[in-house]
Amino acid sequence: MEHAKTPAALSLRGKILLPSGEWLLGQLEFLDHITAITPDNTAPPDRLILPGFIDAHVHGGGGADTMDGPDGVRTLARFHAAHGTTTLLPTTMTNPWDNVLFALRGIRRVMDEGGVPGGADIVGAHLEGPFISPGRLGAQPPNTLEPTPERIAEVLALNVVQAVTFAPELPGALTASFEMARAGVRIGVGHTRADAETVTDFLNALNAVGTTTCATHLFNAMGGIEGRIPGPPAALIADAHAYLEVILDNIHVHPGSFRLACAASQRVMLITDAMRAAGLGDGISELGGQRVIVKDGQAHLENGSLAGSLLTMDIALKNAMQAGISLAKASQMASGTPARSLNLSDRGMLEPGLRADLVVLDTDLNVLEVYVGGKKINVSPGTPEPHG
Ligand SMILES: [Zn+2]
């Protein structure tokens, strides 16, 4: 053979979560992709092997933010990989337009350079704002803009955005959505003052042409559900196609509201919406140029608004189970469902032929090992991040 020697396959033994939701005591072999899954009754049952987590909405972590540029993206990709995230979309903030474009170019550059060694795979950007309602900023700074054809063209030319958030009531939002959907971008509804009817009309128009739609952090930065006023959450949950991002840190969303979404929809997906301060403990931080105060595990802006989260996907998975969801279902929300929402058919499940994006957990769901494309990530099992 003139080929270089074929590298030996690696293997993991434990309880393997199959795409059917069943568990198999066995061995999983892999190179950069999964090569075989076979039963093995002697495998350790206290090592749970799951598909790596996919976080479609994450601003930062470990002291870094997407808006910092390429170095920030690399740092946050490594930080979240240590918590089991094997794929993520660095997410921009609503900032002056040039800053947003700078951040998008930074993500593109990291991708073009082959990704982040030792970090999660980056499959594109989530553009969260500036095409949102100035009346539902949440923790976003007041730099909202209308989605003009010129701005949409500028974004699409960068060939990096995989998910976008729109307030449907903005002038031009539907036209811009069609334009971005044609480029394969997932269209999110969020940071909106729209009523349920406006959201339903918007979703129906997009569904009619087969666009993938999503709630951007369902329940947050939108009106609530009341009997006489259904609000965006009711429209989004009741839609037959929309994916539903949830920040399940038990601060942004009550477990009861999460259970309602899970009972009504098969398309709930866990996100972190994490910010720079994730992993750093209490102290002063920053989000989109705003001062953030982190105290007792909660992050607020100076005006008292809930800021981004301090969540990681491993904790989101634990919180889903504490809310009464089975581990197999919770894993689907953390991997399989977000993969589908982003049209990533090469990951999100454990199956021969798919990427070897793997997370090994103990029975308390602590991260023991993580592999991204078959490469082992440096994690410190069970050790909390240093407080700084
Ligand atoms: Zn966000």
Side-chain angles (χ1 to χ4, degrees):
M1 296 272 289
E2 62 263 59
H3 285 72
K5 194 169 154 240
T6 311
L10 299 170
S11 71
L12 290 172
R13 295 167 69 246
K15 250 173 85 174
I16 302 166
L17 182 58
L18 301 176
S20 63
E22 288 163 314
W23 295 90
L24 175 78
L25 204 54
Q27 173 170 289
L28 184 148
E29 289 172 83
F30 60 98
L31 294 159
D32 53 350
H33 286 66
I34 299 169
T35 53
I37 296 175
T38 46
D40 175 359
N41 282 330
T42 65
D46 56 353
R47 284 169 59 86
L48 310 175
I49 304 171
L50 276 65
F53 309 135
I54 298 176
D55 188 355
H57 187 152
V58 50
H59 297 274
D65 190 284
T66 302
M67 301 306 285
D68 298 346
D71 279 340
V73 170
R74 291 184 193 103
T75 300
L76 74 91
R78 290 195 183 100
F79 169 76
H80 286 283
H83 292 274
T85 298
T86 53
T87 298
L88 56 76
L89 294 187
T91 303
T92 57
M93 289 290 293
T94 296
N95 259 196
W97 187 233
D98 282 346
N99 298 9
V100 173
L101 295 177
F102 166 81
L104 293 178
R105 280 190 208 103
I107 299 163
R108 184 69 255 176
R109 196 169 116 199
V110 171
M111 292 169 70
D112 288 344
E113 288 172 2
V116 182
D121 188 33
I122 294 170
V123 290
H126 183 152
L127 181 67
E128 188 181 22
F131 310 131
I132 60 173
S133 165
R136 276 289 184 180
L137 289 171
Q140 300 281 351
N143 300 111
T144 59
L145 291 171
E146 287 181 13
T148 61
E150 294 74 25
R151 291 190 184 112
I152 298 303
E154 227 175 331
V155 166
L156 290 177
L158 297 175
N159 188 28
V160 67
V161 172
Q162 287 298 314
V164 63
T165 297
F166 282 112
E169 71 273 26
L170 289 192
L174 190 59
T175 307
S177 296
F178 283 136
E179 198 60 34
M180 292 193 80
R182 260 197 292 280
V185 179
R186 189 188 82 181
I187 307 298
V189 171
H191 288 278
T192 174
R193 295 186 71 174
D195 56 16
E197 288 77 8
T198 304
V199 172
T200 299
D201 289 349
F202 184 78
L203 292 173
N204 286 347
L206 290 166
N207 286 336
V209 293
T211 299
T212 305
T213 57
C214 192
T216 294
H217 43 56
L218 181 71
F219 299 119
N220 297 117
M222 58 178 72
I225 297 184
E226 291 174 43
R228 291 190 182 86
I229 311 168
L236 287 156
I237 292 170
D239 185 82
H241 303 284
Y243 291 89
L244 306 170
E245 291 183 354
V246 175
I247 312 171
L248 196 59
D249 60 355
N250 295 343
I251 298 164
H252 285 76
V253 175
H254 189 283
S257 305
F258 170 67
R259 279 193 290 270
L260 165 70
C262 294
S265 170
Q266 297 297 313
R267 288 171 304 282
V268 174
M269 50 184 272
L270 304 176
I271 56 161
T272 62
D273 199 17
M275 53 176 285
R276 185 190 299 282
L280 297 186
D282 286 359
I284 301 300
S285 190
E286 179 273 349
L287 180 68
Q290 309 162 106
R291 200 172 134 96
V292 169
I293 300 138
V294 181
K295 196 162 173 276
D296 305 326
Q298 298 201 17
H300 290 93
L301 300 182
E302 280 180 305
N303 66 13
S305 257
L306 207 48
S309 89
L310 308 171
L311 189 60
T312 49
M313 288 295 279
D314 50 344
I315 303 301
L317 190 82
K318 285 187 193 187
N319 290 342
M321 283 198 69
Q322 270 164 23
I325 305 295
S326 74
L327 181 53
K329 270 252 155 67
S331 163
Q332 232 173 59
M333 295 176 190
S335 303
T337 306
R340 281 207 314 284
S341 86
L342 296 167
N343 204 19
L344 299 170
S345 54
D346 62 346
R347 65 194 78 189
M349 296 184 291
L350 301 182
E351 204 168 61
L354 298 191
R355 279 172 59 97
D357 290 345
L358 314 165
V359 57
V360 184
L361 305 175
D362 66 19
T363 48
D364 294 323
L365 306 187
N366 298 308
V367 173
L368 299 176
E369 294 177 40
V370 179
Y371 297 82
V372 176
K375 291 207 175 65
K376 192 166 187 179
I377 297 298
N378 186 21
V379 299
S380 307
T383 311
E385 293 299 315
H387 285 231

